[in-house]
Amino acid sequence: MELFGLPKAEIVRRLIRASVQAGPALSAENMEAVLTLASEVRQVGRTLAQMLRMMRQGRGMELAAAEQVWSELHGAIAAIDEELTEMTVAHGAGLRRLARLSVIDMAPTKGPAA
């Protein structure tokens, strides 16, 4: 855990204290967004289940039509993932700020040319 230049136990202690100070991980606004995203995930799941059912019954659609559906489903999943990642990153940044943890620059320094 050299990322913060502190022993692992100290990082854990700071993050626990910061999480208590920060309050819940999700604001009311974020919770609404998660509920909306959960609804979208269920819709994607229902669409996939319907497509699989049709395929098993031999009533599959043409490949060109199926490709469009798969592409739209992939786009929906990517958008959901992006929004959840954004929330997670924002909360993590807030916790690190409250815990007074800053990332140490781990880039190798260039020495004299050989």
Side-chain angles (χ1 to χ4, degrees):
M1 279 280 187
E2 288 299 315
L3 187 61
F4 298 109
L6 297 168
K8 190 175 187 178
E10 179 60 21
I11 293 170
V12 171
R13 275 191 288 279
R14 286 186 183 194
L15 288 173
I16 289 171
R17 284 188 207 116
S19 67
V20 170
Q21 294 171 0
L26 294 177
S27 65
E29 182 181 284
N30 282 349
M31 192 61 191
E32 285 181 36
V34 168
L35 291 174
T36 300
L37 293 173
S39 174
E40 290 177 22
V41 168
R42 283 191 295 276
Q43 289 173 356
V44 168
R46 282 192 296 270
T47 302
L48 285 171
Q50 289 171 352
M51 288 180 67
L52 288 173
R53 192 176 314 118
M54 287 177 62
M55 287 178 188
R56 288 182 184 135
Q57 294 172 353
R59 298 185 301 137
M61 55 180 72
E62 293 182 21
L63 188 56
E67 185 176 342
Q68 180 183 352
V69 172
W70 286 112
S71 178
E72 289 175 15
L73 288 173
H74 183 269
I77 291 169
I80 289 166
D81 181 56
E82 185 178 322
E83 194 164 343
L84 288 172
T85 299
E86 197 174 292
M87 281 184 229
T88 304
V89 168
H91 184 67
L95 280 179
R96 287 190 300 279
R97 190 174 47 257
L98 282 171
R100 297 182 323 276
L101 295 172
S102 58
V103 178
I104 295 174
D105 183 13
M106 300 293 280
T109 57
K110 292 186 178 184

